[in-house]
Amino acid sequence: MSTLRDKFVWYELLTRESTAAAAFYSSVIGWGVKDAGMPEMNYTLLSAQDVPVAGLMELTQAASDMGARPSWIGYIGVTDVDAVTGAVQAAGGAIYVAPRDIPAVGRFAVVSDPQGAVFALFHGQEESPRPEAAPMAVGHVGWRELSTSDQAGAFTFYAGLFGWTKGDAIDMGPMGVYQIFAIDGVPAGGMMTRTDVAPGWLYYFTVAGIDAAVARVGAGGGQVVHGPQQVPGGSWIVQCVDPQGVPFALVGAVR
């Protein structure tokens, strides 16, 4: 994991079938799969060209009883997890997992924004964070998208916490405005108001070609729920659910 401040630094899948999920995403995205070797925890590392990109862990019954469901979650790097967790609560967000340590890894918390979209905060023990991937590097996250009940309020929340800034605002007609946000001046994702889905983050994993990846999604028991669609800039996207019904998305430079 990286300690890059105010950026998404890690992604994690909670799943009820860890072996099957690892096989599915390895096939669809091309990730390498490796046990993390963490004591007293079954945690799988998912890597692109030997660079860890995400983690996968089994959803416990205790977590299920507390309302957790199979899902992807993104971790945002901060310098002080406890302070930012307090700021989240002060700004109207919620705390799901209070700040705690992962031995020899770092400190984290799981929170939500005021509209209910869940994300995590992380500060690592590494002295030197791993380098960032090049834009649209295959196997890495190429885009992040927030569906929310209040786009303006959500942007104010994240901008206040992390210093994110507004990029282009794209008129989607009846669907409203798609507000791109930038991190350190680089477009990193978009936010839009939606009433047909629960508030949440959707992560777009980069693949070499969309059509071939779509075929792998279907072969592995997943489904495409939207697309393929070409987006401004020329890339192609699809939105999918995995065999357990977890939403994820794919982006590729070519169809």
Side-chain angles (χ1 to χ4, degrees), residues 1 9-10 82 88 172 229 241:
M1 296 185 186
V9 297
W10 191 247
D82 296 69
V88 165
M172 304 285 287
Q229 176 185 350
V241 292

Side-chain angles (χ1 to χ4, degrees), residues 23-115:
F24 174 80
Y25 285 100
S26 176
S27 171
V28 171
I29 301 172
W31 281 332
V33 177
K34 179 183 178 181
D35 182 77
M38 299 177 67
E40 301 180 1
M41 178 183 290
N42 181 12
Y43 195 88
T44 301
L45 295 176
L46 305 171
S47 302
Q49 294 81 47
D50 297 323
V51 176
V53 173
L56 184 156
M57 63 186 297
E58 197 89 17
L59 182 62
T60 65
Q61 186 59 51
S64 294
D65 292 343
M66 293 174 64
R69 296 291 180 266
S71 60
W72 279 101
I73 185 170
Y75 284 65
I76 299 173
V78 297
T79 55
D80 188 330
V81 170
D82 296 69
V84 179
T85 299
V88 165
Q89 192 169 38
I95 302 172
Y96 288 97
V97 178
R100 63 181 62 179
D101 292 325
I102 308 170
V105 177
R107 190 164 177 82
F108 81 103
V110 180
V111 300
S112 77
D113 65 25
Q115 291 74 41

Side-chain angles (χ1 to χ4, degrees), residues 143-147 178 189-192 200-204 239:
W143 197 249
R144 305 134 197 98
E145 190 169 84
L146 177 66
S147 294
Y178 188 86
M191 301 180 182
M192 64 186 304
W201 284 95
L202 180 67
Y203 303 105
Y204 287 71
Q239 296 172 352

